[in-house]
mmCIF file with all atom_site columns, all heavy atoms in Angstrom:
data_model
loop_
_atom_site.group_PDB
_atom_site.id
_atom_site.type_symbol
_atom_site.label_atom_id
_atom_site.label_alt_id
_atom_site.label_comp_id
_atom_site.label_asym_id
_atom_site.label_entity_id
_atom_site.label_seq_id
_atom_site.pdbx_PDB_ins_code
_atom_site.Cartn_x
_atom_site.Cartn_y
_atom_site.Cartn_z
_atom_site.occupancy
_atom_site.B_iso_or_equiv
_atom_site.pdbx_formal_charge
_atom_site.auth_seq_id
_atom_site.auth_comp_id
_atom_site.auth_asym_id
_atom_site.auth_atom_id
_atom_site.pdbx_PDB_model_num
ATOM 1   N N   . THR A 1 591 ? 88.297  63.928 68.495 1.00 68.00 ? 591 THR A N   1
ATOM 2   C CA  . THR A 1 591 ? 87.203  64.944 68.539 1.00 68.00 ? 591 THR A CA  1
ATOM 3   C C   . THR A 1 591 ? 86.935  65.310 70.011 1.00 68.00 ? 591 THR A C   1
ATOM 4   O O   . THR A 1 591 ? 86.779  64.480 70.867 1.00 68.00 ? 591 THR A O   1
ATOM 5   C CB  . THR A 1 591 ? 85.891  64.394 67.916 1.00 68.00 ? 591 THR A CB  1
ATOM 6   O OG1 . THR A 1 591 ? 86.163  63.992 66.535 1.00 68.00 ? 591 THR A OG1 1
ATOM 7   C CG2 . THR A 1 591 ? 84.806  65.382 67.895 1.00 68.00 ? 591 THR A CG2 1
ATOM 8   N N   . ALA A 1 592 ? 86.914  66.601 70.258 1.00 63.00 ? 592 ALA A N   1
ATOM 9   C CA  . ALA A 1 592 ? 86.556  67.156 71.564 1.00 63.00 ? 592 ALA A CA  1
ATOM 10  C C   . ALA A 1 592 ? 85.156  66.939 71.885 1.00 63.00 ? 592 ALA A C   1
ATOM 11  O O   . ALA A 1 592 ? 84.299  66.624 70.981 1.00 63.00 ? 592 ALA A O   1
ATOM 12  C CB  . ALA A 1 592 ? 86.964  68.560 71.612 1.00 63.00 ? 592 ALA A CB  1
ATOM 13  N N   . PRO A 1 593 ? 84.707  67.086 73.132 1.00 60.00 ? 593 PRO A N   1
ATOM 14  C CA  . PRO A 1 593 ? 83.305  66.991 73.500 1.00 60.00 ? 593 PRO A CA  1
ATOM 15  C C   . PRO A 1 593 ? 82.332  67.793 72.695 1.00 60.00 ? 593 PRO A C   1
ATOM 16  O O   . PRO A 1 593 ? 81.189  67.419 72.527 1.00 60.00 ? 593 PRO A O   1
ATOM 17  C CB  . PRO A 1 593 ? 83.270  67.302 75.008 1.00 60.00 ? 593 PRO A CB  1
ATOM 18  C CG  . PRO A 1 593 ? 84.599  66.963 75.471 1.00 60.00 ? 593 PRO A CG  1
ATOM 19  C CD  . PRO A 1 593 ? 85.584  67.321 74.381 1.00 60.00 ? 593 PRO A CD  1
ATOM 20  N N   . ASN A 1 594 ? 82.834  69.022 72.254 1.00 58.00 ? 594 ASN A N   1
ATOM 21  C CA  . ASN A 1 594 ? 81.891  69.844 71.450 1.00 58.00 ? 594 ASN A CA  1
ATOM 22  C C   . ASN A 1 594 ? 81.934  69.622 69.983 1.00 58.00 ? 594 ASN A C   1
ATOM 23  O O   . ASN A 1 594 ? 81.325  70.332 69.190 1.00 58.00 ? 594 ASN A O   1
ATOM 24  C CB  . ASN A 1 594 ? 82.207  71.280 71.663 1.00 58.00 ? 594 ASN A CB  1
ATOM 25  C CG  . ASN A 1 594 ? 83.552  71.776 71.116 1.00 58.00 ? 594 ASN A CG  1
ATOM 26  O OD1 . ASN A 1 594 ? 84.361  70.852 70.708 1.00 58.00 ? 594 ASN A OD1 1
ATOM 27  N ND2 . ASN A 1 594 ? 83.781  73.017 71.072 1.00 58.00 ? 594 ASN A ND2 1
ATOM 28  N N   . GLY A 1 595 ? 82.647  68.512 69.551 1.00 63.00 ? 595 GLY A N   1
ATOM 29  C CA  . GLY A 1 595 ? 82.694  68.132 68.150 1.00 63.00 ? 595 GLY A CA  1
ATOM 30  C C   . GLY A 1 595 ? 83.906  68.662 67.412 1.00 63.00 ? 595 GLY A C   1
ATOM 31  O O   . GLY A 1 595 ? 84.101  68.303 66.263 1.00 63.00 ? 595 GLY A O   1
ATOM 32  N N   . SER A 1 596 ? 84.713  69.532 68.054 1.00 64.00 ? 596 SER A N   1
ATOM 33  C CA  . SER A 1 596 ? 85.824  70.131 67.333 1.00 64.00 ? 596 SER A CA  1
ATOM 34  C C   . SER A 1 596 ? 86.993  69.146 67.321 1.00 64.00 ? 596 SER A C   1
ATOM 35  O O   . SER A 1 596 ? 87.198  68.234 68.175 1.00 64.00 ? 596 SER A O   1
ATOM 36  C CB  . SER A 1 596 ? 86.359  71.413 68.101 1.00 64.00 ? 596 SER A CB  1
ATOM 37  O OG  . SER A 1 596 ? 85.307  72.375 68.131 1.00 64.00 ? 596 SER A OG  1
ATOM 38  N N   . THR A 1 597 ? 87.759  69.216 66.249 1.00 67.00 ? 597 THR A N   1
ATOM 39  C CA  . THR A 1 597 ? 88.877  68.333 66.099 1.00 67.00 ? 597 THR A CA  1
ATOM 40  C C   . THR A 1 597 ? 90.156  68.945 66.717 1.00 67.00 ? 597 THR A C   1
ATOM 41  O O   . THR A 1 597 ? 90.491  70.127 66.471 1.00 67.00 ? 597 THR A O   1
ATOM 42  C CB  . THR A 1 597 ? 89.217  68.102 64.626 1.00 67.00 ? 597 THR A CB  1
ATOM 43  O OG1 . THR A 1 597 ? 88.067  67.474 64.007 1.00 67.00 ? 597 THR A OG1 1
ATOM 44  C CG2 . THR A 1 597 ? 90.463  67.158 64.413 1.00 67.00 ? 597 THR A CG2 1
ATOM 45  N N   . ILE A 1 598 ? 90.817  68.223 67.589 1.00 69.00 ? 598 ILE A N   1
ATOM 46  C CA  . ILE A 1 598 ? 92.052  68.637 68.292 1.00 69.00 ? 598 ILE A CA  1
ATOM 47  C C   . ILE A 1 598 ? 93.165  67.837 67.799 1.00 69.00 ? 598 ILE A C   1
ATOM 48  O O   . ILE A 1 598 ? 93.121  66.579 67.869 1.00 69.00 ? 598 ILE A O   1
ATOM 49  C CB  . ILE A 1 598 ? 91.867  68.468 69.846 1.00 69.00 ? 598 ILE A CB  1
ATOM 50  C CG1 . ILE A 1 598 ? 90.630  69.191 70.303 1.00 69.00 ? 598 ILE A CG1 1
ATOM 51  C CG2 . ILE A 1 598 ? 93.176  69.083 70.527 1.00 69.00 ? 598 ILE A CG2 1
ATOM 52  C CD1 . ILE A 1 598 ? 90.629  70.701 70.089 1.00 69.00 ? 598 ILE A CD1 1
ATOM 53  N N   . PRO A 1 599 ? 94.246  68.426 67.222 1.00 68.00 ? 599 PRO A N   1
ATOM 54  C CA  . PRO A 1 599 ? 95.315  67.670 66.662 1.00 68.00 ? 599 PRO A CA  1
ATOM 55  C C   . PRO A 1 599 ? 96.077  66.955 67.743 1.00 68.00 ? 599 PRO A C   1
ATOM 56  O O   . PRO A 1 599 ? 96.306  67.468 68.852 1.00 68.00 ? 599 PRO A O   1
ATOM 57  C CB  . PRO A 1 599 ? 96.253  68.713 65.966 1.00 68.00 ? 599 PRO A CB  1
ATOM 58  C CG  . PRO A 1 599 ? 95.875  70.006 66.726 1.00 68.00 ? 599 PRO A CG  1
ATOM 59  C CD  . PRO A 1 599 ? 94.421  69.900 67.097 1.00 68.00 ? 599 PRO A CD  1
ATOM 60  N N   . GLY A 1 600 ? 96.718  65.802 67.425 1.00 73.00 ? 600 GLY A N   1
ATOM 61  C CA  . GLY A 1 600 ? 97.485  64.997 68.308 1.00 73.00 ? 600 GLY A CA  1
ATOM 62  C C   . GLY A 1 600 ? 98.876  64.928 67.914 1.00 73.00 ? 600 GLY A C   1
ATOM 63  O O   . GLY A 1 600 ? 99.755  64.578 68.717 1.00 73.00 ? 600 GLY A O   1
ATOM 64  N N   . GLY A 1 601 ? 99.212  65.272 66.633 1.00 73.00 ? 601 GLY A N   1
ATOM 65  C CA  . GLY A 1 601 ? 100.666 65.283 66.266 1.00 73.00 ? 601 GLY A CA  1
ATOM 66  C C   . GLY A 1 601 ? 101.081 63.932 65.658 1.00 73.00 ? 601 GLY A C   1
ATOM 67  O O   . GLY A 1 601 ? 100.602 62.816 66.108 1.00 73.00 ? 601 GLY A O   1
ATOM 68  N N   . THR A 1 602 ? 101.890 64.076 64.632 1.00 77.00 ? 602 THR A N   1
ATOM 69  C CA  . THR A 1 602 ? 102.434 62.851 63.949 1.00 77.00 ? 602 THR A CA  1
ATOM 70  C C   . THR A 1 602 ? 103.915 62.985 63.726 1.00 77.00 ? 602 THR A C   1
ATOM 71  O O   . THR A 1 602 ? 104.500 64.063 64.080 1.00 77.00 ? 602 THR A O   1
ATOM 72  C CB  . THR A 1 602 ? 101.755 62.704 62.625 1.00 77.00 ? 602 THR A CB  1
ATOM 73  O OG1 . THR A 1 602 ? 101.986 63.870 61.801 1.00 77.00 ? 602 THR A OG1 1
ATOM 74  C CG2 . THR A 1 602 ? 100.242 62.414 62.725 1.00 77.00 ? 602 THR A CG2 1
ATOM 75  N N   . GLY A 1 603 ? 104.593 61.953 63.327 1.00 83.00 ? 603 GLY A N   1
ATOM 76  C CA  . GLY A 1 603 ? 105.999 62.004 63.067 1.00 83.00 ? 603 GLY A CA  1
ATOM 77  C C   . GLY A 1 603 ? 106.781 62.256 64.345 1.00 83.00 ? 603 GLY A C   1
ATOM 78  O O   . GLY A 1 603 ? 106.608 61.634 65.396 1.00 83.00 ? 603 GLY A O   1
ATOM 79  N N   . VAL A 1 604 ? 107.696 63.284 64.315 1.00 87.00 ? 604 VAL A N   1
ATOM 80  C CA  . VAL A 1 604 ? 108.437 63.567 65.527 1.00 87.00 ? 604 VAL A CA  1
ATOM 81  C C   . VAL A 1 604 ? 107.617 64.065 66.659 1.00 87.00 ? 604 VAL A C   1
ATOM 82  O O   . VAL A 1 604 ? 107.978 64.203 67.797 1.00 87.00 ? 604 VAL A O   1
ATOM 83  C CB  . VAL A 1 604 ? 109.585 64.623 65.242 1.00 87.00 ? 604 VAL A CB  1
ATOM 84  C CG1 . VAL A 1 604 ? 110.583 64.050 64.237 1.00 87.00 ? 604 VAL A CG1 1
ATOM 85  C CG2 . VAL A 1 604 ? 109.028 65.909 64.738 1.00 87.00 ? 604 VAL A CG2 1
ATOM 86  N N   . TYR A 1 605 ? 106.333 64.432 66.394 1.00 86.00 ? 605 TYR A N   1
ATOM 87  C CA  . TYR A 1 605 ? 105.415 64.960 67.336 1.00 86.00 ? 605 TYR A CA  1
ATOM 88  C C   . TYR A 1 605 ? 104.468 63.824 67.852 1.00 86.00 ? 605 TYR A C   1
ATOM 89  O O   . TYR A 1 605 ? 103.532 64.155 68.565 1.00 86.00 ? 605 TYR A O   1
ATOM 90  C CB  . TYR A 1 605 ? 104.623 66.111 66.878 1.00 86.00 ? 605 TYR A CB  1
ATOM 91  C CG  . TYR A 1 605 ? 105.447 67.267 66.369 1.00 86.00 ? 605 TYR A CG  1
ATOM 92  C CD1 . TYR A 1 605 ? 105.259 67.768 65.092 1.00 86.00 ? 605 TYR A CD1 1
ATOM 93  C CD2 . TYR A 1 605 ? 106.436 67.823 67.164 1.00 86.00 ? 605 TYR A CD2 1
ATOM 94  C CE1 . TYR A 1 605 ? 106.091 68.811 64.592 1.00 86.00 ? 605 TYR A CE1 1
ATOM 95  C CE2 . TYR A 1 605 ? 107.225 68.857 66.724 1.00 86.00 ? 605 TYR A CE2 1
ATOM 96  C CZ  . TYR A 1 605 ? 107.039 69.371 65.479 1.00 86.00 ? 605 TYR A CZ  1
ATOM 97  O OH  . TYR A 1 605 ? 107.786 70.416 65.021 1.00 86.00 ? 605 TYR A OH  1
ATOM 98  N N   . ALA A 1 606 ? 104.746 62.576 67.477 1.00 88.00 ? 606 ALA A N   1
ATOM 99  C CA  . ALA A 1 606 ? 103.829 61.507 67.829 1.00 88.00 ? 606 ALA A CA  1
ATOM 100 C C   . ALA A 1 606 ? 103.779 61.449 69.389 1.00 88.00 ? 606 ALA A C   1
ATOM 101 O O   . ALA A 1 606 ? 104.772 61.557 70.056 1.00 88.00 ? 606 ALA A O   1
ATOM 102 C CB  . ALA A 1 606 ? 104.385 60.205 67.318 1.00 88.00 ? 606 ALA A CB  1
ATOM 103 N N   . PRO A 1 607 ? 102.587 61.261 69.945 1.00 89.00 ? 607 PRO A N   1
ATOM 104 C CA  . PRO A 1 607 ? 102.358 61.315 71.444 1.00 89.00 ? 607 PRO A CA  1
ATOM 105 C C   . PRO A 1 607 ? 103.192 60.157 72.085 1.00 89.00 ? 607 PRO A C   1
ATOM 106 O O   . PRO A 1 607 ? 103.417 59.083 71.531 1.00 89.00 ? 607 PRO A O   1
ATOM 107 C CB  . PRO A 1 607 ? 100.903 61.088 71.568 1.00 89.00 ? 607 PRO A CB  1
ATOM 108 C CG  . PRO A 1 607 ? 100.262 61.489 70.196 1.00 89.00 ? 607 PRO A CG  1
ATOM 109 C CD  . PRO A 1 607 ? 101.315 61.129 69.201 1.00 89.00 ? 607 PRO A CD  1
ATOM 110 N N   . GLY A 1 608 ? 103.533 60.486 73.370 1.00 89.00 ? 608 GLY A N   1
ATOM 111 C CA  . GLY A 1 608 ? 104.280 59.539 74.157 1.00 89.00 ? 608 GLY A CA  1
ATOM 112 C C   . GLY A 1 608 ? 104.756 60.216 75.404 1.00 89.00 ? 608 GLY A C   1
ATOM 113 O O   . GLY A 1 608 ? 104.763 61.430 75.514 1.00 89.00 ? 608 GLY A O   1
ATOM 114 N N   . ALA A 1 609 ? 105.369 59.436 76.328 1.00 90.00 ? 609 ALA A N   1
ATOM 115 C CA  . ALA A 1 609 ? 105.941 60.100 77.571 1.00 90.00 ? 609 ALA A CA  1
ATOM 116 C C   . ALA A 1 609 ? 106.968 61.069 77.249 1.00 90.00 ? 609 ALA A C   1
ATOM 117 O O   . ALA A 1 609 ? 107.123 62.102 77.864 1.00 90.00 ? 609 ALA A O   1
ATOM 118 C CB  . ALA A 1 609 ? 106.435 59.020 78.466 1.00 90.00 ? 609 ALA A CB  1
ATOM 119 N N   . ILE A 1 610 ? 107.807 60.764 76.223 1.00 91.00 ? 610 ILE A N   1
ATOM 120 C CA  . ILE A 1 610 ? 108.927 61.680 75.769 1.00 91.00 ? 610 ILE A CA  1
ATOM 121 C C   . ILE A 1 610 ? 108.945 61.794 74.296 1.00 91.00 ? 610 ILE A C   1
ATOM 122 O O   . ILE A 1 610 ? 108.576 60.812 73.574 1.00 91.00 ? 610 ILE A O   1
ATOM 123 C CB  . ILE A 1 610 ? 110.279 61.191 76.378 1.00 91.00 ? 610 ILE A CB  1
ATOM 124 C CG1 . ILE A 1 610 ? 111.368 62.161 75.915 1.00 91.00 ? 610 ILE A CG1 1
ATOM 125 C CG2 . ILE A 1 610 ? 110.562 59.790 75.786 1.00 91.00 ? 610 ILE A CG2 1
ATOM 126 C CD1 . ILE A 1 610 ? 112.700 61.872 76.559 1.00 91.00 ? 610 ILE A CD1 1
ATOM 127 N N   . GLY A 1 611 ? 109.189 63.055 73.823 1.00 91.00 ? 611 GLY A N   1
ATOM 128 C CA  . GLY A 1 611 ? 109.319 63.198 72.385 1.00 91.00 ? 611 GLY A CA  1
ATOM 129 C C   . GLY A 1 611 ? 110.485 64.180 72.129 1.00 91.00 ? 611 GLY A C   1
ATOM 130 O O   . GLY A 1 611 ? 111.003 64.932 73.041 1.00 91.00 ? 611 GLY A O   1
ATOM 131 N N   . ASN A 1 612 ? 111.037 64.157 70.895 1.00 91.00 ? 612 ASN A N   1
ATOM 132 C CA  . ASN A 1 612 ? 112.168 64.986 70.549 1.00 91.00 ? 612 ASN A CA  1
ATOM 133 C C   . ASN A 1 612 ? 112.098 65.235 69.041 1.00 91.00 ? 612 ASN A C   1
ATOM 134 O O   . ASN A 1 612 ? 111.666 64.364 68.335 1.00 91.00 ? 612 ASN A O   1
ATOM 135 C CB  . ASN A 1 612 ? 113.453 64.453 71.027 1.00 91.00 ? 612 ASN A CB  1
ATOM 136 C CG  . ASN A 1 612 ? 113.750 63.127 70.432 1.00 91.00 ? 612 ASN A CG  1
ATOM 137 O OD1 . ASN A 1 612 ? 113.183 62.096 70.904 1.00 91.00 ? 612 ASN A OD1 1
ATOM 138 N ND2 . ASN A 1 612 ? 114.654 63.022 69.422 1.00 91.00 ? 612 ASN A ND2 1
#
Side-chain angles (χ1 to χ4, degrees):
T591 302
N594 69 348
S596 300
T597 299
I598 306 298
T602 59
V604 296
Y605 303 126
I610 181 172
N612 57 283

